[in-house]
Structure formats: C-alpha cells, structure tokens
Amino acid sequence: MLGYYELEEDMIIRLPKESRDIKENIYEICCPLVVKTKESLPQDLRCLYEVLEIPIISFDEIGNCIEEKYQNRYLYLKEFSKYLKMNITIEELEEGRLGHLLRVGKNAKALCDALGLTKEQTKNIYIAALFHDVGKYKVPSSIVGKKGRLSDSEFNVIKNHCNYGYDILKGFLAEDTLNIIRSHHERCDGSGYPKGSIPELGAKIIGIVDSFDAMTSNRVYCKGKNLEDAYEELLLCGQSVTDGGKGILFDKELVEKFIHIND
C-alpha cells in the first residue's frame, strides 16, 4: 500500500483517520508516507514522493499532530490521487502495463536530471509523465484492452487520448504540463499526432521513455524486447530512412543521453 508502506498493523491504528481509510490501491496517495527506511521504498515510488515533495516520516513521528501538520498537503494529494486512479483502470486493461506510469515518470526524471533541467521544469515533465495516458479513460475499454494489435480504425480512435487527457486535467494542471500531455505522441519529423507538429522538450522526453517502456513490456501478442534490442530500436527511431533508420521520430541526442544514463 502506497500510504503506509511496510507499516505494521499496530502502527496503522495510530495514523490519522484519512490515512487509515486509504484503500489498497497503488495509486492512492496519502500523506505522510510512513516507511521503515527511505531505502525500503521501491525506486519508482520513491521518485514519485520526492518530486511531489510528499513527506516521508519515520515511526517515531507518528502522532496526533500529523493530521493537522499535513492537512493542506493531504487535500491537494487527495485531488491528485483522483486522476492517478484513472490510470490503474487503464493499466489493468493494457496487458503487461501495470506500473507503466511510475516507470515512465522515473525515467523521465532521470533524463531531466541528466540534462540539468530546473526543479520546476523537471516537476512539470514528471507530472506530465504520470498523466500522459489518462485520456485513455475516455476511450472504449474494448479498444484499450484489446488483446492484440489494433486495426487502423481502432488506432484512429485511441489517438484521441492525447486531447482527452488535456480536457480531463484542464483546470487542475498548469497549461505547460497540459501541453506536454497533449503532445507526447508528436514526433520530431512531424509524423506524430494529434497535430503533426514538432514537440517541445518535455514531450520529446516522454515520447522516448514511454516508447522504451512499451518496447520492454510483454503483451499477449508480443514479448517485450531486452534492453539491448530496445536501445537499438530507439536509435533507429532517431535516424533518417536514408541512413537506415526509421525516420527522425525521436531526438537523437536525447536518445543517446537516455541510453547512457541507463548503462
């Protein structure tokens, strides 16, 4: 459980009521997070708490003061969780994708850090990574959860998730973050969607790490690639067809940087 990871039963009863009532859902965020040690938290989950600046406390900090101390933060995260929980529905439908948004977020942050982006830029891109697929919530489940490759007509329907995500989150996230979500399937040669425009940096980053996670995830109809083959595929997507590649879909320098930080 996200809210009180590895917490013993006798400690749970000492938490504020809001924390005790959190249901077992890996995308339900409560505040604060209680762990035995910070290192006991999985890397992708630790990344989420660090970027969102969610307090991580130890057992000796648990007390009646927690509810009052973290009340404002809790209310914000409760709203944040509402949208994150849409993703668990999507990931349960998409075979092999459970944990996808956390992995994409972790890899996006790692690439942002390697590029030396500011804390605010990194946070915007990371949040966009968490919510990049939330628009699939409005796509028919028969298409999202199809156990096989999509037909051309089905693919045209699922393309709408970029605009749907923008619409769902409008008013909750900043415009810059919303635009990254809407543009994460745009490609450097203009062949992407929904507009066929050239993506800005945040969308370029998410496009790479999202594709990488898709390549390395198992499907009913396709086994995930190993790391070496996935890296090769990414590199081919950063080379022109005349040079033996698949077109300039991704920024070659960003791909090389991503591969370097994962070696």
Side-chain angles (χ1 to χ4, degrees):
M1 186 179 297
L2 201 84
Y4 32 97
Y5 186 78
E6 295 189 359
L7 191 60
E8 301 295 336
E9 185 65 30
D10 63 335
M11 304 303 290
I12 293 176
I13 61 174
R14 296 173 58 190
L15 289 170
K17 182 176 185 300
E18 288 86 350
S19 297
R20 295 198 305 271
D21 288 348
I22 295 298
K23 297 183 183 299
E24 293 200 18
N25 181 327
I26 64 171
Y27 296 124
E28 182 83 68
I29 299 177
C30 76
C31 183
L33 173 71
V34 183
V35 293
K36 291 181 178 177
T37 66
K38 192 171 183 179
E39 289 68 33
S40 69
L41 198 64
Q43 186 181 7
D44 52 1
L45 209 51
R46 184 164 65 247
C47 179
L48 180 143
Y49 273 79
E50 289 175 349
V51 175
L52 297 183
E53 299 178 291
I54 302 172
I56 298 178
I57 69 172
S58 59
F59 286 162
D60 58 10
E61 293 180 276
I62 297 177
N64 294 331
C65 64
I66 288 179
E67 185 171 356
E68 180 179 352
K69 183 177 180 181
Y70 297 113
Q71 183 64 26
N72 290 338
R73 195 69 178 144
Y74 175 81
L75 293 174
Y76 165 75
L77 292 169
K78 186 176 181 181
E79 181 74 2
F80 204 94
S81 292
K82 179 178 75 175
Y83 297 108
L84 279 181
K85 285 190 288 185
M86 292 182 181
N87 287 279
I88 193 65
T89 302
I90 297 163
E91 292 185 352
E92 286 175 338
L93 285 171
E94 293 187 309
E95 185 72 20
R97 301 278 273 191
L98 195 62
H100 170 67
L101 69 91
L102 289 178
R103 293 191 298 270
V104 171
K106 173 178 68 72
N107 284 327
K109 181 183 182 300
L111 188 46
C112 288
D113 290 343
L115 294 169
L117 301 188
T118 67
K119 183 178 180 180
E120 189 61 29
Q121 286 175 310
T122 299
K123 185 175 181 178
N124 283 340
I125 293 171
Y126 179 80
I127 290 175
L130 289 184
F131 291 123
H132 72 280
D133 272 346
V134 75
K136 290 181 180 178
Y137 195 77
K138 294 182 66 174
V139 176
S141 59
S142 59
I143 294 178
V144 176
K146 184 177 178 179
K147 307 304 182 184
R149 295 189 182 278
L150 299 177
S151 66
D152 289 345
S153 60
E154 289 168 334
F155 185 58
N156 285 332
V157 172
I158 210 164
K159 284 180 179 180
N160 293 321
H161 81 276
C162 299
N163 287 323
Y164 290 157
Y166 180 96
D167 294 339
I168 288 170
L169 295 162
K170 189 174 183 179
F172 178 65
L173 298 181
E175 189 69 18
D176 287 348
T177 311
L178 291 170
N179 285 328
I180 294 173
I181 291 169
R182 183 162 54 184
S183 305
H184 74 277
H185 277 294
E186 301 289 4
R187 296 297 179 247
C188 293
D189 61 0
S191 64
Y193 60 86
K195 292 184 177 181
S197 60
I198 307 302
E200 296 185 1
L201 179 60
K204 287 180 179 179
I205 288 172
I206 295 178
I208 291 169
V209 297
D210 179 33
S211 295
F212 172 76
D213 194 72
M215 291 175 191
T216 54
S217 296
N218 291 325
R219 297 287 189 277
V220 170
Y221 59 88
C222 179
K223 183 178 180 180
K225 297 178 183 291
N226 60 40
L227 291 182
E228 184 177 341
D229 289 343
Y231 292 154
E232 182 179 351
E233 183 83 5
L234 287 178
L235 288 169
L236 288 174
C237 291
Q239 296 176 13
S240 66
V241 176
T242 55
D243 291 331
K246 296 190 173 184
I248 311 297
L249 308 180
F250 300 137
D251 185 305
K252 182 180 179 181
E253 292 184 3
L254 290 180
V255 169
E256 291 175 345
K257 178 73 74 173
F258 175 67
I259 293 172
H260 176 73
I261 62 178
N262 283 281
D263 280 347

